[in-house]
Amino acid sequence: MSFREDASHIRTGHAAHNLLLLRREPTAKDGLATRRKQAG
């Protein structure tokens, strides 16, 4: 079974750090997609 981890772009540039910040946000109780939209 393949999950295509090698195709993930999270490891390039600042994406890993940005994703970490979104996951650690304590005030937002919404999903990750909603947090991304609010941050933009």
Side-chain angles (χ1 to χ4, degrees):
M1 180 178 277
S2 175
F3 293 106
R4 298 183 53 87
E5 291 96 356
D6 295 336
S8 176
H9 293 283
I10 292 175
R11 293 173 287 187
T12 61
H14 299 283
H17 182 42
N18 292 339
L19 187 61
L20 175 71
L21 292 176
L22 284 174
R23 287 185 177 165
R24 284 187 164 181
E25 176 60 37
T27 59
K29 300 297 179 193
D30 300 327
L32 194 58
T34 304
R35 294 180 197 177
R36 286 181 61 213
K37 288 180 182 178
Q38 288 177 348

